[in-house]
Amino acid sequence: MNILVCISKAPDTTSKIAFTDQNTRFDTNGIQFIVNPYDEWYALVRGIELKEQNGGSVTIIAVDEADSDPVIRKAIAIGADKAVRIDARPTDPSFVAQQIAAYAADKNFDMILCGKETINYNGGVVGGMIAEHLDLPYISLATNLDMEGSKAVITREVKGGSEVLEVDGPFVLSASKGLAEQRIPNMRGIMAARTKPLDVVSAAEAADATTVRSYELPPEKGDCKMVDPEHPEELVRLLHEEAKVI
Amino acid sequence: MSILIFAELKEGKATKAALEAASYASKAAADLGGEVIAVTAGHIEGDAGLGAYGVTRVFNASDANTSDSGQLSKAVVAAAQESGASIIVMAHDHAGKLVASRVSVKLNAGIVAGAIALPTNTEGFIVKKSVFSGKAMAHVEIKTAHKVITITPNSFGLHTNDKGTAEVTALSADLGQSKVTVREFKPTSTDGSIPLPEADLVISAGRGMKGPENWGMIEELASEFGAATACSRPVSDIGWRPHHEHVGQTGIAIRPNLYIAIGISGAIQHLAGVNGSKVIVVVNKDPEAPFFKAADYGIVGDAFDVVPKLTEAVKRFNAG
Ligand SMILES: Cc1cc2nc3c(=O)[nH]c(=O)nc-3n(C[C@H](O)[C@H](O)[C@H](O)COP(=O)(O)OP(=O)(O)OC[C@H]3O[C@@H](n4cnc5c(N)ncnc54)[C@H](O)[C@@H]3O)c2cc1C
């Protein structure tokens, strides 16, 4: 089984977010980067589990510049066989999807797994775009993935519930919580990751369809109004008369 | 510029998120000049309720496999061509995200996924979206001729206008062979309650509730408010509550009108997913809990005392 897992780097979840250059650039000063949680915890780990059960290989792909190599090595340490980095700044979801699709087009992957979204851009659309470029079925928000022979049986979240689907042949999937249990890389994995291949490939010709013009931070909250715990009816009154939300 | 929306149907009617997309598109179309057309799939009742939100025409692909994003996106593209719309809008929800991603490739369109405000078109076509899981916002310019926008549920609201009913026609398009088969649909709850991302009121509880056996009082409070329930990450990780209730940076992001957090400390990863809420109420026995800094109203007290009393107060309020 030949599995491709798409990962991206993201600021550690405890990061305080700030911007520079008149709010046009994310300030990476003091920011620790991690593997985007949905990519690592669910997509990558499920890919590795399937390889362990059925044989084959897991390739990691990331579209990013050289400073992301340590993050890619961390992902390899969890148990992938190799990694590929498309050498370009990931500035727009359409651009990233085109790069991954161009790489995967002639490699016959049985499945391409992504996280449901990144925790920095929160788009959730790269997986669907890759599927469209490659003319493959796309199953988003998967919480379970099992193989029954050549068929994949996938549970995914849909509005108001979940749906069990069958897909025959290659597909693209985005991983949601539940698809796998987070794995902590062990010492052997970390040592092995140092020598596993991390190929750098130059980017395919593609233009950005969007540009971030500027960023802003949400407005600060005012003071919190305290209500006496003995009189919660006062809270109900405030929510009705002052906040007007009930 | 005419705007096309993809509206998801449930039992023949547009979902709340789809009606919000229609409201958003109507306002944008009024600003940019143009009409709002909808494309739908599967069984439709009347105009699915879309006319009341400013949609003038609906193209329905009745035979589409509504679980197949490949077929749905083909239907959207066919309707875009038929109507000449260059802006495509849909909800940033389960179905919307997957259809939008495919449509953007088919139309070579730039996409803003997760918009929280109307586009501005003075210095380029710019749409505001939430980034860094709610810790910041970005103003994103779409540079392509076709544009795709998915809008975050509850960020724009529902706005009816009295355009009346929309004219419904069958969409004639070859949607090809479906590549996925649905085995089964399992509803999360049987009472038809609305999905968490679309809920106006949310009652959320954390590790302060001590154990799953104590959620009865949370559910009772939620039912008095007519609210959906949510929880912090550790609560779903240890299995006290289902995963789909987990809100925050690594769960789902929500922006209800009212978010009441009970026994939740207010860690940065939790706040990231809920700070778009209009009003935040925190109930915590620790006056130093960080959540109070992000709250509009607070009660310092033991949840096991406060929640039943609050439920009684809401009951009396509901009784008028
Ligand atoms: C990579 C990463 C991602 C994460 N993502 C998320 C996420 O998406 N969402 C999320 O929620 N968390 C997330 N977390 C976890 C987060 O850091 C916190 O650990 C978590 O939110 C704490 O949950 P809690 O508030 O329920 O529990 P605690 O931090 O244990 O807080 C319990 C609170 O309950 C109060 N309390 C106790 N007893 C009572 C009582 N009887 N009455 C009233 N109050 C009481 C306490 O004072 C305390 O404030 C993430 C962490 C990491 C490392």
Side-chain angles (χ1 to χ4, degrees):
Chain A
M1 194 163 276
N2 199 4
I3 302 171
L4 183 67
V5 181
C6 311
I7 68 162
S8 83
K9 75 172 188 311
D12 179 90
T13 57
T14 56
S15 307
K16 288 244 166 21
I17 304 301
F19 302 101
T20 59
D21 297 356
Q22 273 135 6
N23 288 326
T24 57
R25 282 175 75 92
F26 172 49
D27 185 358
T28 54
N29 212 343
I31 299 281
Q32 288 269 15
F33 283 94
I34 58 170
V35 184
N36 181 52
Y38 294 107
D39 308 348
E40 179 193 319
W41 300 351
Y42 311 124
L44 178 57
V45 174
R46 189 62 194 142
I48 291 166
E49 288 170 353
L50 286 174
K51 178 194 100 166
E52 288 167 351
Q53 290 160 17
N54 305 298
S57 78
V58 173
T59 304
I60 287 172
I61 187 165
V63 179
D64 211 335
E65 293 174 315
D67 61 0
S68 67
D69 285 353
V71 174
I72 299 174
R73 291 270 176 220
K74 269 190 212 155
I76 300 176
I78 295 172
D81 298 282
K82 66 177 255 196
V84 176
R85 179 168 61 77
I86 311 285
D87 192 22
R89 246 168 83 85
T91 41
D92 163 65
S94 309
F95 176 82
V96 171
Q98 281 180 67
Q99 298 304 330
I100 295 173
Y103 175 81
D106 58 357
K107 309 263 183 327
N108 289 321
F109 288 107
D110 295 299
M111 60 182 83
I112 300 178
L113 310 180
C114 312
K116 76 162 185 177
E117 65 184 50
T118 59
I119 60 166
N120 45 1
Y121 191 75
N122 306 103
V125 291
V126 169
M129 290 176 171
I130 297 170
E132 182 61 31
H133 281 296
L134 300 175
D135 194 22
L136 294 176
Y138 173 54
I139 305 6
S140 63
L141 303 173
T143 56
N144 199 69
L145 160 63
D146 283 308
M147 297 305 297
E148 288 180 6
S150 70
K151 253 191 216 138
V153 181
I154 302 169
T155 308
R156 65 154 177 191
E157 298 163 358
V158 292
K159 189 158 289 188
S162 60
E163 201 172 62
V164 184
L165 299 175
E166 259 176 35
V167 188
D168 216 341
F171 60 89
V172 182
L173 167 151
S174 84
S176 193
K177 190 174 181 181
L179 191 71
E181 291 284 337
Q182 186 182 355
R183 274 194 194 183
I184 310 296
N186 56 25
M187 214 46 215
R188 229 180 87 222
I190 295 168
M191 297 303 286
R194 291 192 188 155
T195 53
K196 283 185 182 163
L198 195 176
D199 298 340
V200 180
V201 176
S202 47
E205 192 67 43
D208 278 356
T210 63
T211 322
V212 175
R213 293 278 293 265
S214 63
Y215 293 98
E216 87 186 83
L217 292 171
E220 295 271 335
K221 275 267 176 196
D223 281 345
C224 176
K225 200 176 251 184
M226 300 312 285
V227 175
D228 180 353
E230 292 305 317
H231 295 285
E233 66 280 3
E234 175 61 6
L235 175 67
V236 176
R237 188 190 69 77
L238 288 166
L239 292 176
H240 180 61
E241 291 174 11
E242 189 177 80
K244 299 189 167 63
V245 288
I246 58 170
Chain B
M1 273 189 256
S2 284
I3 303 184
L4 176 71
I5 68 160
F6 165 69
E8 190 184 9
L9 306 179
K10 283 272 180 244
E11 274 139 30
K13 294 283 175 201
T15 63
K16 185 187 168 204
L19 295 177
E20 190 175 14
S23 306
Y24 178 94
S26 299
K27 185 72 179 69
D31 294 348
L32 301 166
E35 59 171 334
V36 182
I37 300 124
V39 53
T40 55
H43 166 69
I44 187 165
E45 297 268 339
D47 72 352
L50 289 160
Y53 291 85
V55 173
T56 51
R57 274 190 292 158
V58 178
F59 293 104
N60 185 51
S62 56
D63 296 334
N65 175 354
T66 55
S67 295
D68 183 341
S69 59
Q71 289 207 338
L72 293 176
S73 59
K74 280 185 188 141
V76 173
V77 170
Q81 274 151 1
E82 178 88 27
S83 63
S86 57
I87 301 175
I88 324 285
V89 172
M90 55 194 90
H92 192 65
D93 62 1
H94 304 82
K97 277 185 245 187
L98 64 150
V99 175
S101 52
R102 283 191 175 266
V103 168
S104 85
V105 172
K106 284 188 201 291
L107 294 176
N108 250 319
I111 183 168
V112 173
I116 53 171
L118 288 166
T120 57
N121 201 14
T122 44
E123 288 170 65
F125 189 95
I126 296 177
V127 190
K128 180 154 131 177
K129 88 178 279 297
S130 159
V131 289
F132 296 102
S133 304
K135 292 179 190 172
M137 277 105 56
H139 298 264
V140 185
E141 180 182 0
I142 306 184
K143 300 189 288 192
T144 47
H146 279 95
K147 300 165 173 67
V148 177
I149 302 171
T150 61
I151 106 142
T152 305
N154 282 351
S155 61
F156 189 73
L158 295 178
H159 306 278
T160 47
N161 61 22
D162 11 80
K163 290 250 167 69
T165 44
E167 176 201 333
V168 182
T169 46
L171 181 75
S172 56
D174 177 14
L175 304 181
Q177 194 74 35
S178 179
K179 290 183 187 165
V180 298
T181 316
V182 182
R183 272 196 190 172
E184 178 180 13
F185 170 71
K186 300 180 199 160
T188 325
S189 61
T190 44
D191 57 7
S193 59
I194 67 162
L196 186 51
E198 291 170 35
D200 288 324
L201 309 175
V202 175
I203 311 289
S204 186
R207 210 144 56 173
M209 291 309 295
K210 311 277 188 287
E213 66 281 5
N214 298 323
W215 248 263
M217 68 172 87
I218 298 297
E219 279 167 353
E220 236 172 279
L221 178 61
S223 118
E224 280 310 320
F225 267 116
T229 50
C231 69
S232 67
R233 177 175 167 216
V235 162
S236 79
D237 279 358
I238 33 186
W240 293 359
R241 298 297 291 177
H243 287 326
H244 60 79
E245 284 197 0
H246 162 191
V247 292
Q249 190 161 12
T250 54
I252 52 173
I254 55 171
R255 354 178 17 105
N257 282 333
L258 174 62
Y259 182 74
I260 303 188
I262 299 164
I264 301 177
S265 56
I268 187 167
Q269 299 97 345
H270 185 85
L271 295 179
V274 303
N275 66 4
S277 309
K278 195 165 154 219
V279 172
I280 295 180
V281 175
V282 168
V283 178
N284 198 303
K285 69 174 183 188
D286 174 10
E288 301 299 319
F291 219 145
F292 286 116
K293 291 203 178 66
D296 301 280
Y297 300 101
I299 295 183
V300 176
D302 189 323
F304 294 85
D305 282 342
V306 175
V307 173
K309 282 186 190 146
L310 181 56
T311 307
E312 283 310 311
V314 181
K315 251 186 209 155
R316 285 195 299 275
F317 170 80
N318 288 341

